[in-house]
Amino acid sequence: MADIAVSLAPFLKDVDKRAAAEGDNTEDGIKKWVKMLREQAIRIEDVIDEYMIYVEQNPHDLGCECFLCNIVHFIKTLIPRRRISSEIRNIKSSLREITEESGSNSSRERQNVNSQDPQRMGYRYIEEDQLVSFDAPRDELIGWRVEGQAERTVISVVGMGGQGKPLLPRKFLTTKRYVVLFDDVWNNNFWDDIKSAVINNKNGSRIFITTRNMHVAQFSKESSLVKVLELQLLTPEKSFELFCKRAFQSDFDICCPEELIDISSKIVEKCNGLPLAIVAIAGILAASKNKNALEWIKFNQSLSSELEKESRLTDITKILGLSYDDLPDYLKPCLLYFRIYPEDYVVKSKRLIQQWITEGFVTSEE
């Protein structure tokens, strides 16, 4: 059973990368299959731990060498042995079912892969005139675009998914000098791949890059001038303003009714200053919910389930999930481990690292 757990690890890494690369969004797709396999891998780890605690421990390790001690140990571990044996059979049965299901779905999965890029879905909800707090970053970009030295200059826009990076450079890119926009770049080697194609004609040309990774923004320094604009999340005040512009856009004064101010603030707070989340959630409330405090309170309480069933909100989880998919494999369980803590809980770093080590997430390296 331990051998199975070890062999599953590299397999899951490979399939996880394949699923992310293929943009798998189908109900019976690779990601669902990987999720089921991960669940079985966790069950395998648990049954191994239980075996080591209850069964593998030898009476001799406790300083007892008599025959009677061995008999007592055998009797004590009889029930755990049966339970562990039953769990192993169940795990093997589950793995066989997963394998059979994956075979029957593989051909259908290839036909149903959604070609629409989830990285772009969210911006069909945002109109440029609905954005708030974008004037200063946009003015700074325009200044970098039209002023400065004649050398080719790389301008990177860095920010979380959903902050509106593609919206900043849009209609200002009209000039005789060439302008290129690369949106949502992930690969650190991206600049090496394109630098020979974007020639440095010393005519004030500009290359815009939007990315979630600061390393991508810095990689072009070796051969170009580089300017980096790192976007900040919206303040609570600007977040509430954006929410009201979307949720109450059909109202004459675009103003939040007094009875909805408290619950609206709580909903906005959950968005953590992310424009995409604010606009999408406000759009749902504007279109499908009565402007009634009780209805909005129920929506806020079930927001997690709404993210799974409402198509306009599932796009958010897909967009933000790309940041998780891009993490190194050894960091993914470390990030997910934060779910054991209550909301707003202060986590001590030393304690957290010790827990990571105990769970086996952190291993020694030479």
Side-chain angles (χ1 to χ4, degrees):
M1 187 59 69
D3 292 339
I4 296 176
V6 172
S7 62
L8 273 177
F11 173 75
L12 286 172
K13 290 180 183 179
D14 180 66
V15 177
D16 223 1
K17 292 176 182 177
R18 205 178 100 205
E22 292 182 3
D24 179 74
N25 295 312
T26 59
E27 182 180 353
D28 297 316
I30 297 176
K31 287 187 177 179
K32 181 182 176 182
W33 186 46
V34 171
K35 180 182 177 181
M36 292 188 292
L37 284 176
R38 287 194 186 283
E39 291 172 352
Q40 299 310 313
I42 293 171
R43 290 178 68 187
I44 292 172
E45 291 180 354
D46 290 343
V47 81
I48 291 173
D49 290 341
E50 189 174 7
Y51 178 83
M52 296 299 295
I53 293 171
Y54 292 107
V55 181
E56 183 65 16
Q57 190 180 56
N58 195 304
H60 295 169
D61 298 334
L62 304 176
C64 182
E65 300 183 0
C66 66
F67 177 75
L68 183 59
C69 287
N70 291 325
I71 295 297
V72 171
H73 176 71
F74 178 82
I75 295 174
K76 276 186 175 181
T77 59
L78 185 60
I79 294 177
R81 284 175 188 271
R82 294 187 62 182
R83 184 172 63 248
I84 291 170
S85 177
S86 175
E87 177 67 0
I88 291 174
R89 286 195 298 269
N90 291 336
I91 292 173
K92 288 183 176 180
S93 175
S94 298
L95 287 173
R96 280 194 296 269
E97 291 177 4
I98 293 172
T99 304
E100 293 170 1
E101 182 179 346
S102 67
S104 63
N105 289 329
S106 58
S107 59
R108 181 175 56 196
E109 173 187 299
R110 286 191 293 271
Q111 297 171 0
N112 293 331
V113 171
N114 190 342
S115 60
Q116 189 172 17
D117 189 348
Q119 301 176 37
R120 310 292 178 267
M121 291 177 184
Y123 292 99
R124 64 171 177 256
Y125 306 131
I126 302 180
E127 298 296 333
E128 189 173 355
D129 59 4
Q130 290 183 321
L131 294 175
V132 294
S133 285
F134 266 41
D135 293 341
R138 184 184 289 120
D139 292 343
E140 191 168 7
L141 279 181
I142 295 172
W144 291 348
R145 167 66 191 89
V146 299
E147 300 171 359
Q149 302 171 352
E151 292 290 326
R152 177 185 61 190
T153 303
V154 177
I155 301 173
S156 299
V157 180
V158 181
M160 285 181 59
Q163 277 192 269
K165 296 186 294 294
L167 301 176
L168 281 172
R170 275 186 176 166
K171 61 185 180 180
F172 306 103
L173 306 183
T174 54
T175 179
K176 293 180 181 179
R177 295 170 290 181
Y178 77 78
V179 175
V180 184
L181 169 65
F182 297 98
D183 181 33
D184 219 9
V185 177
W186 294 79
N187 190 346
N188 288 341
N189 298 321
F190 170 78
W191 179 247
D192 290 333
D193 295 335
I194 61 101
K195 65 182 179 183
S196 59
V198 285
I199 59 172
N200 187 4
N201 54 19
K202 297 190 178 181
N203 194 29
S205 297
R206 298 293 185 262
I207 302 164
F208 286 85
I209 297 174
T210 72
T211 180
R212 308 184 193 189
N213 188 344
M214 182 60 73
H215 293 294
V216 171
Q218 303 289 356
F219 261 66
S220 53
K221 276 188 174 180
E222 62 180 48
S223 56
S224 296
L225 294 174
V226 173
K227 294 184 180 294
V228 177
L229 175 64
E230 187 169 5
L231 297 180
Q232 304 300 315
L233 296 171
L234 296 181
T235 64
E237 295 76 17
K238 290 298 182 181
S239 297
F240 191 80
E241 179 184 342
L242 176 59
F243 177 85
C244 291
K245 290 182 72 172
R246 182 71 174 186
F248 308 109
Q249 58 184 339
S250 58
D251 299 346
F252 179 75
D253 54 358
I254 315 182
C255 183
C256 180
E258 186 174 348
E259 65 272 15
L260 293 178
I261 291 178
D262 184 57
I263 184 59
S264 296
S265 299
K266 292 179 180 177
I267 293 173
V268 170
E269 186 179 357
K270 286 187 175 181
C271 297
N272 291 319
L274 196 63
L276 175 60
I278 295 170
V279 169
I281 291 174
I284 295 295
L285 291 170
S288 59
K289 304 291 181 184
N290 296 325
K291 291 183 174 59
N292 176 283
L294 184 60
E295 287 289 320
W296 286 33
I297 290 172
K298 290 180 180 178
F299 177 85
N300 183 49
Q301 292 172 341
S302 61
L303 187 55
S304 296
S305 60
E306 293 285 346
L307 285 170
E308 296 179 0
K309 67 183 182 181
E310 173 59 54
S311 60
R312 284 176 286 182
L313 296 183
T314 54
D315 290 344
I316 298 176
T317 58
K318 292 174 184 175
I319 293 167
L320 299 181
L322 294 171
S323 295
Y324 171 79
D325 292 337
D326 193 55
L327 284 175
D329 293 301
Y330 61 87
L331 286 183
K332 290 180 179 179
C334 295
L335 176 64
L336 295 178
Y337 193 76
F338 282 100
R339 294 193 64 181
I340 73 168
Y341 295 106
E343 186 175 355
D344 297 327
Y345 182 83
V346 178
V347 182
K348 302 287 187 180
S349 60
K350 184 176 180 180
R351 178 187 177 191
L352 177 64
I353 293 172
Q354 289 174 340
Q355 290 173 322
W356 281 344
I357 293 173
T358 303
E359 293 289 346
F361 299 158
V362 180
T363 57
S364 61
E365 291 184 355
E366 294 296 333

